[in-house]
Amino acid sequence: KRVAILLSGGGSNMVALVRSMTGDHPARPCLVGSNDPEAGGLRRAAELGVPTVAIDHRPFKGDRPGFEAALTAALEEAAPDIVALAGFMRILTPGFVDRWAGRLLNIHPSLLPKYRGLDTHARAIAAGDTEAGCTVHEVTAALDDGPILGQARVPILPEDTPAALAARVLVQEHRLYPLVLRRFAEGRRDRIDL
Ligand code: GRF
């Protein structure tokens, strides 16, 4: 299986995914793409020997379909079987989601269905929750809302700041996403809970 990974930032999830695809793993990374030419994850992907592409979203301001057409063209050239969003911070239109339906994954830093959207850790702390975590799900047209493929939970500690909680959750993201990706590549859809 060929896996394309899309990111917007440092790409720590991408690194975990790429490093997991070795040996008897049924998948290999075929492309790492970003909407930001300066994304640190592009350099890290190149260091790992994975082809990269940057589709700067800024020239497409106000033209989301145009940006997505350019992104889709780059993806099609790499012919992925699976597209994994990993810290990709652009909203995708239903048109893009439909084009990649059934093979589009995302990791979200909350225990969905709680805290869709942004600032998940600050919201969980503010709500007085005692646990938080991350979710890997199939991407559908609705934001952060597709079938859940896996979750990992961490405690929220009394003096937690959003940054401290984010760091604790990120460690679990790096465990969960590779496990879910492998099972997804093997055709399994049963949910993992860590
Ligand atoms: C992190 O906040 C992570 O929770 C979310 O995307 C952000 C950046 O992750 N999935 P990465 O280091 O770029 O993978």
Side-chain angles (χ1 to χ4, degrees):
K1 296 282 186 190
R2 299 170 59 86
V3 176
I5 301 169
L6 299 182
L7 55 81
S8 299
S12 69
N13 274 290
M14 175 276 300
V15 171
L17 292 174
V18 168
R19 285 186 172 149
S20 74
M21 289 186 264
T22 58
D24 66 349
H25 193 300
R28 289 295 185 275
C30 63
L31 180 71
V32 171
S34 182
N35 61 293
D36 179 353
E38 304 305 314
L42 290 175
R43 191 168 48 257
R44 293 170 85 175
E47 288 164 3
L48 291 167
V50 184
T52 63
V53 67
I55 310 285
D56 192 340
H57 68 273
R58 290 166 299 191
F60 295 98
K61 191 168 177 53
D63 176 15
R64 196 180 293 276
F67 165 70
E68 293 182 351
L71 183 59
T72 291
L75 283 171
E76 284 173 343
E77 201 167 321
D81 301 295
I82 298 168
V83 179
L85 306 179
F88 186 69
M89 304 306 278
R90 304 299 296 168
I91 302 284
L92 295 166
T93 67
F96 182 93
V97 173
D98 287 349
R99 170 72 185 74
W100 301 98
R103 44 196 180 141
L104 188 55
L105 305 181
N106 182 44
I107 188 160
H108 179 75
S110 80
L111 295 173
L112 292 175
K114 295 183 82 169
Y115 311 124
R116 291 186 175 91
L118 299 174
D119 300 322
T120 60
H121 304 307
R123 291 157 63 191
I125 292 169
D129 293 357
T130 55
E131 69 173 7
C134 50
T135 303
V136 177
H137 63 95
E138 292 189 58
V139 174
T140 57
L143 180 67
D144 298 331
D145 188 33
I148 291 177
L149 294 170
Q151 290 195 314
R153 311 175 100 81
V154 301
I156 297 180
L157 304 178
E159 301 309 310
D160 262 343
T161 60
L165 181 53
R168 191 174 308 125
V169 171
L170 199 58
V171 170
Q172 297 308 314
E173 292 182 34
H174 299 162
R175 291 178 64 219
L176 178 67
Y177 213 168
L179 288 172
V180 170
L181 176 63
R182 176 158 189 158
R183 283 159 78 129
F184 194 82
E186 290 166 346
R188 298 173 56 182
R189 298 290 180 271
D190 47 322
R191 176 180 162 143
I192 301 177
D193 282 282
L194 297 181

